[in-house]
Amino acid sequence: MLTWPFKVTAGIDDKPMIVVTYKNQEKQFSAEEISSMVLTKMRQIAEAHLEAPVCNAVITVPAYFNGSQRKATRDAGIIAGLNVMRIISEPTAAAIAYGLDKRFDCDKERNVFIFDLGGGTFDVSLLTIKGKLFKVKATSGNTHLGGEDFDSRLVSHFVKEFNRKNKVDISGNARALRRLRTACEKAKRTLSCTVTASIELDSFHNGIDFFSSITRARFEELNMDLFRECVETVDQCLIDAKMDKASVHDVVIVGGSSRIPKVQELLQEYFKGKELCKSINPDEAVAYGAAVKAALLNGGSKSTAPDLVLQDVTPLSLGIETKEDVMTVMIPRNTTIPVKKSGDFATSRDDQVAIGQNIYEGERTRASDNNLLGRYAFSGIPPAPKDCKQISMCFDLDADGILHITSKEKTTGLKTKITITNDIGRPSGEEVERLIQEAERYKDEDEKFLKKAKAINALDDYVYDMEKTLNGSDLCPEDKKKLNSAIDKARAVLDDDNKEKKEIDVFVEHLEEAKLIFEPIIAKID
């Protein structure tokens, strides 16, 4: 936001609104509205070229766009008056373009790695192409890494230089910074083909001219951490796909920023000197792949739409919150879509007639550490003992990456359906990337949390069994006293407000202690 020439303010439900002044009037637009304006302009260009109306569209998005962002893109298309036939990932579209360009042998399987570094986003995908089947194995990326970030590093460098030389601070001069950013972007492009670039700005600030230059080596030094971050993402994608870099047959680079020599050098080094595939136009590859997909969806002939089957994946795990804030995954990350996964769930207390479950996406074991997508409510459940698996839940992730959930009560057949949209504030692509990084960083912490949650649940279930025995059996006064004492002791630990701070051993020891008391009593009853 600091580098944008416009203002962003909070709208209804804290939704970010873009504030612009047009004809001396201040207007506010949502991201969907701005996106729809771009799509409307693109539609007009297409119609002028084709001399025919354009009604349908296939829209590409960064691979790491979540369901909310994909739905917002679909909404933008609808606002622009388009029938959005499909939302597909950019690297997947690029792979279609590359695969068709190479015309692979139908019987020979090839592993193709797509490296897509654009102006604002970065995506990587690993696909296996065999004949007409294009199957995505894994995807990764960062929706806040791209050419604009490299420009920002150059802007900061030159602002410091100007301030140092002229003893002034231009950080508050929006117009000057905008002119400098444009000049920096041009310099960045120049450095891809020469070793030096110049900055020349007349009357830059308060009538002061600014002339400077930068070398390719200095540009690389300013951005090296971002370049290395790209390589780390490549490595993560291969790990997710469970594939060795030596098994990759082709490394395809697309996106304008993939032209940067240092990026290509680091990528080539990572793949042990393998030649990078530059046979497709990096600026047009994604659009070309999307056009092929549109032709397929539109039922085009084989001459206009090659015969192929496309299988994409979901970038994040999807699941629900269960007892003790545990994330129960229904659809794991990098699962091929469209996909349906079902599971049976139980009530958490006796005679429960309604349940409410939070739906999350992310890689953390603790549900509340992930991103909340929505809340799912189901009522009309026939009364029954707790832990009776009465509810069948189905997660249906469609080809656009939008989630639909169906729940069914087994005895009555009662069903409830919802579609997860962006009604609850969902994360940005940057937040999605943060989730993955945090999952790695806190892996040990998550494992400890899961063990502790299981220990708490085990003690809670055991206490429940003891209470049922106490209330339903004719025990002698001495046994009743022992059982009551054990139940009270365990309940005190389970109901303690500070139980989160207690070590796992506390719950394990109380469970063992309860067993020593309860099992001899059960043996007498049997």
Side-chain angles (χ1 to χ4, degrees), residues 149-447:
D149 298 284
F150 310 143
D151 297 342
S152 294
R153 293 288 175 88
L154 284 178
V155 169
S156 296
H157 168 75
F158 285 119
V159 164
K160 288 176 184 175
E161 182 182 322
F162 184 84
N163 291 350
R164 186 179 66 252
K165 286 180 177 177
N166 298 282
K167 303 291 187 277
V168 293
D169 183 8
I170 63 163
S171 57
N173 188 335
R175 183 176 179 277
L177 291 176
R178 181 68 260 174
R179 289 180 64 204
L180 179 59
R181 178 169 289 275
T182 302
C184 285
E185 184 186 2
K186 185 179 177 182
K188 176 191 68 178
R189 292 171 182 267
T190 302
L191 289 172
S192 291
C193 51
T194 63
V195 294
T196 307
S198 300
I199 297 285
E200 297 181 0
L201 294 168
D202 295 327
S203 192
F204 178 55
H205 175 74
N206 291 342
I208 305 170
D209 298 334
F210 182 46
F211 302 103
S212 188
S213 63
I214 189 165
T215 63
R216 181 187 290 178
R218 182 62 176 139
F219 170 73
E220 292 171 354
E221 184 185 332
L222 290 170
N223 291 286
M224 188 56 72
D225 60 319
L226 298 178
F227 296 159
R228 294 200 183 282
E229 191 176 327
C230 293
V231 178
E232 288 167 9
T233 304
V234 171
D235 191 52
Q236 185 59 54
C237 186
L238 286 172
I239 292 170
D240 290 344
K242 298 180 176 61
M243 189 177 292
D244 184 77
K245 63 181 77 171
S247 301
V248 175
H249 297 100
D250 303 285
V251 181
V252 182
I253 57 171
V254 292
S257 297
S258 68
R259 290 187 174 94
I260 296 172
K262 193 63 179 180
V263 169
Q264 294 186 6
E265 181 188 321
L266 291 172
L267 189 61
Q268 197 164 6
E269 281 177 11
Y270 178 82
F271 283 102
K272 307 295 184 185
K274 183 183 289 294
E275 280 298 315
L276 306 180
C277 301
K278 307 172 187 175
S279 59
I280 55 175
N281 186 316
D283 298 317
E284 297 175 1
V286 171
Y288 177 64
V292 171
K293 182 65 179 174
L296 287 167
L297 291 171
N298 210 37
S301 65
K302 285 195 175 181
S303 61
T304 58
D307 185 22
L308 64 87
V309 177
L310 176 63
Q311 294 182 346
D312 214 334
V313 297
T314 178
L316 282 174
S317 299
L318 299 165
I320 66 170
E321 176 189 2
T322 51
K323 284 176 70 176
E324 293 297 328
D325 196 21
V326 172
M327 169 76 162
T328 299
V329 174
M330 293 288 286
I331 300 178
R333 180 175 172 229
N334 283 321
T335 298
T336 301
I337 58 173
V339 62
K340 285 186 180 181
K341 290 288 181 75
S342 299
D344 293 336
F345 295 91
T347 51
S348 57
R349 61 179 184 274
D350 290 338
D351 300 327
Q352 189 174 346
V353 295
I355 60 169
Q357 286 181 310
N358 290 332
I359 313 299
Y360 288 94
E361 68 178 355
E363 311 308 314
R364 300 296 301 278
T365 307
R366 193 190 303 265
S368 56
D369 287 339
N370 294 313
N371 287 308
L372 179 65
L373 304 185
R375 184 166 175 78
Y376 190 78
F378 191 88
S379 58
I381 303 169
K386 84 166 197 170
D387 293 333
C388 178
K389 292 194 173 181
Q390 296 169 271
I391 311 298
S392 175
M393 184 175 281
C394 175
F395 273 44
D396 181 0
L397 195 64
D398 66 22
D400 290 329
I402 297 171
L403 180 62
H404 311 271
I405 301 175
T406 304
S407 277
K408 181 180 179 182
E409 203 287 315
K410 292 182 177 180
T411 58
T412 63
L414 181 68
K415 283 186 178 181
T416 302
K417 293 182 179 180
I418 64 165
T419 297
I420 296 295
T421 63
N422 55 340
D423 295 334
I424 289 180
R426 295 186 65 183
S428 64
E430 187 178 29
E431 283 291 292
V432 172
E433 180 61 18
R434 181 182 61 79
L435 283 173
I436 304 298
Q437 292 172 354
E438 281 190 356
E440 293 296 320
R441 199 160 54 240
Y442 299 121
K443 191 175 180 181
D444 292 340
E445 179 187 319
D446 284 347
E447 286 175 359

